[in-house]
Amino acid sequence: MLRFNQKPTAELQRIDADHHLHPFTDTKALNAEGTRVIVRAKGIWLEDSDGNRILDGMAGLWCVNVGYGRDEIGAAVERQMRELPYYNTFFKSTHVPAVELADKLADLAPPHINRVFFCGSGSEANDTVIRMVRHFWAAQGQPDRQVIIGRKNAYHGSTIGGTSLGGMAAMHGQGGLPIPGIHHIDQPYWFGEGGDMDPEEFGIARARELEKAIADIGADKVAAFIAEPIQGAGGVVIPPDSYWPEIGRICKAHDILLVADEVICGFGRLGTWFGSDYFSIEPDLMPVAKGLSSGYQPIGGVLVSDRVAEGLGEGGEFFHGYTYSAHPACCAAALENIRILEDEAILQHVSTVAAPYLKDKWMALADHPLIGESRMTGLMGALELVPNKPDRTRFPEVGKVGTLCRDHAFRNGLVMRAVGDTMVVAPPLVIDRNEIDQLAALAEKTLDDTLAALKADGLL
Ligand SMILES: *Cc1c(COP(=O)(O)O)cnc(C)c1O
């Protein structure tokens, strides 16, 4: 069925190749292969221009929490567009959706967090974090507290600031990043880097790297530590239970602001409103985006503790903001998205039905000859592909087998992403038992196909 005067697939692909530069893409390689054209979606299912149905195991890019096809969100946005399509919040003015969304977020956030600074994306939220924590300390009379400590293999966005806070070596390699004043410690990735330590011991060791970095840099020069509760883009790195309590202790002991990047974990992914609720983290700042609107409109924000908000208040004007901070139509989408999460008890569905059920099936995949570890918390899961289980040694050429596996997944009608040789999933939160059965069956078939292909090519 053609809609919106849809051109034939080959023509769309040709025009796309001629005029569209894709994010995080080797354009030349992509254009040789041709893009997949997604035309519509409903629930957890995508449909491409050739009529194939694909189970979206990644909720778009970790964001379509309430699933596709929610007409209510479209209607809320349309209502807002007719009423007030745009106004800024710079000129001593505000508007109804901004007020209502700020109020709602203060309600959902931990009790000591009652304010939000709006922006358009997760990257902008993290750029805001850099400027906010540095200005906060300057306003406290400690202008030397400028260094922000992040982690290797973290993802905090793709702007100059977000890339710098993040710890992706390949991203740093392009464009002379990170910016000065950002320091990275190692990640709590037990499967990849835990060596002979047991996971809990390793969690403590990796948290103590923060304490060592603070000592090396000087506590009077460190502004903040930033981390995702669970690293998403880095490969769904679920920290050992020992990790977060030790990080919390260290930040408190040295009076370092703790920033929990909730862009993926926020809004129900772990069955709680925030990843910080799940891990009992007490953050000073929480950047959010993605699930805030389930991706229906681009919106992000930084949720700010009373302490930081009051401290900033002593610093006079904060010279920061975006034209689209608190965009009315985006706020309307977020409000309607949160209403759906609440009215349909979607967090309870995640914590009591979907996450335990998927985890059962997911952990069973660890029996597969290609899988060295399977792990899942909430609706974020990973599978580690290895050549010689139970040995944790990786394939010699990192990413080759992961990419092969991802391509087989697509062919089987499943979006499962490859991070190196780690396969990750994060489906929409509304996924039901029957769909979880399908996801697990498709993942297993994909592993079988990948194994068969490796054997056929003599790689195993
Ligand atoms: C996606 C992501 C970001 C960046 O968000 P954008 O909206 O793509 O700018 C930041 N932090 C985390 C943890 C993310 O997953």
Side-chain angles (χ1 to χ4, degrees):
M1 184 178 39
L2 300 183
R3 280 197 207 160
F4 303 119
N5 298 319
Q6 187 186 307
K7 299 173 167 70
T9 301
E11 193 180 347
L12 288 167
Q13 288 171 325
R14 183 185 55 73
I15 299 170
D16 193 78
D18 284 349
H19 301 296
H20 182 191
L21 290 175
H22 290 245
F24 282 97
T25 292
D26 175 340
T27 300
K28 206 167 154 192
L30 173 73
N31 291 346
E33 201 179 321
T35 48
R36 181 175 294 99
V37 183
I38 303 297
V39 288
R40 64 183 67 83
K42 182 85 186 162
I44 68 162
W45 297 94
L46 306 169
E47 188 185 318
D48 73 14
S49 54
D50 298 326
N52 298 306
R53 258 162 62 89
I54 307 163
L55 194 162
D56 186 2
M58 284 305 300
L61 267 178
W62 322 83
C63 57
V64 188
N65 288 9
V66 298
Y68 298 94
R70 295 292 191 153
D71 292 343
E72 316 92 290
I73 300 180
V77 169
E78 189 196 359
R79 250 190 333 271
Q80 186 56 47
M81 299 276 259
R82 290 181 190 280
E83 187 86 9
L84 179 72
Y86 177 77
Y87 198 69
N88 75 72
T89 46
F90 288 31
F91 301 160
K92 297 183 179 174
S93 53
T94 191
H95 51 70
V96 178
V99 171
E100 298 210 327
L101 182 58
D103 187 30
K104 187 76 215 177
L105 291 173
D107 213 37
L108 300 178
H112 68 289
I113 293 182
N114 289 292
R115 287 179 181 77
V116 56
F117 190 104
F118 286 115
C119 58
S121 68
S123 300
E124 287 182 6
N126 283 317
D127 280 38
T128 299
V129 163
I130 296 177
R131 303 204 58 210
M132 193 178 270
V133 300
R134 289 178 172 176
H135 182 54
F136 166 81
W137 284 115
Q140 302 298 104
Q142 299 189 53
D144 291 340
R145 277 202 189 247
Q146 294 287 297
V147 177
I148 303 174
I149 301 174
R151 305 186 298 186
K152 292 174 190 162
N153 196 40
Y155 189 77
H156 298 297
S158 190
T159 49
I160 301 272
T163 302
S164 296
L165 289 176
M168 298 288 178
M171 291 174 74
H172 290 169
Q174 296 175 342
L177 297 173
I179 57 169
I182 312 281
H183 179 87
H184 296 93
I185 61 172
D186 287 317
Q187 55 180 338
Y189 177 30
W190 180 79
F191 185 84
E193 302 173 1
D196 296 334
M197 283 189 222
D198 73 55
E200 299 312 321
E201 190 187 349
F202 176 70
I204 296 285
R206 284 291 154 102
R208 296 258 165 93
E209 283 197 18
L210 175 60
E211 195 148 50
K212 175 159 190 318
I214 293 169
D216 290 349
I217 298 162
D220 56 342
K221 295 201 170 50
V222 178
F225 172 66
I226 182 167
E228 302 148 86
I230 292 176
Q231 282 153 268
V236 182
V237 177
I238 302 169
D241 290 340
S242 59
Y243 184 75
W244 273 112
E246 184 65 3
I247 290 287
R249 180 193 69 73
I250 293 166
C251 288
K252 276 214 176 73
H254 302 280
D255 200 21
I256 307 298
L257 296 177
L258 176 52
V259 185
D261 183 339
E262 294 277 0
V263 171
I264 288 179
C265 294
F267 302 94
R269 175 115 334 253
L270 306 185
T272 49
W273 281 107
F274 299 100
S276 293
D277 302 331
Y278 186 91
F279 288 107
S280 300
I281 303 166
E282 290 174 51
D284 295 285
L285 298 170
M286 298 197 302
V288 295
K290 294 193 171 116
L292 168 58
S293 66
S294 284
Y296 278 64
Q297 290 281 281
I299 182 168
V302 181
L303 306 188
V304 181
S305 66
D306 297 339
R307 178 191 178 195
V308 172
E310 281 153 25
L312 275 178
E314 289 153 27
E317 180 172 350
F318 181 33
F319 298 109
H320 177 65
Y322 304 101
T323 302
Y324 298 137
S325 285
H327 190 288
C330 301
C331 290
L335 278 164
E336 186 61 12
N337 174 61
I338 292 169
R339 185 199 65 71
I340 292 170
L341 287 169
E342 287 186 317
D343 287 1
E344 298 184 10
I346 290 173
L347 273 56
Q348 288 90 317
H349 169 73
V350 172
S351 58
T352 63
V353 179
Y357 191 68
L358 179 54
K359 183 168 185 170
D360 251 21
K361 309 240 148 196
W362 200 251
M363 297 316 272
L365 293 175
D367 295 338
H368 195 278
L370 266 184
I371 300 304
E373 180 185 80
S374 70
R375 55 180 180 265
M376 175 153 293
T377 294
L379 285 178
M380 291 176 83
L383 298 171
E384 299 282 7
L385 302 175
V386 292
N388 305 306
K389 76 185 286 186
D391 190 335
R392 281 188 272 150
T393 312
R394 315 311 305 250
F395 285 99
E397 193 187 328
V398 179
K400 188 172 169 188
V401 178
T403 305
L404 177 74
C405 184
R406 183 207 57 199
D407 291 347
H408 276 290
F410 254 118
R411 238 165 273 147
N412 287 328
L414 170 67
V415 180
M416 179 161 66
R417 191 169 166 189
V419 179
D421 292 323
T422 308
M423 306 310 297
V424 300
V425 290
L429 308 186
V430 294
I431 190 167
D432 66 22
R433 278 201 178 84
N434 173 19
E435 291 165 334
I436 287 170
D437 290 340
Q438 296 181 63
L439 191 165
L442 290 172
E444 189 170 7
K445 177 169 187 330
T446 297
L447 295 176
D448 290 343
D449 292 351
T450 305
L451 182 63
L454 289 174
K455 284 185 171 154
D457 290 349
L459 293 167
L460 259 188

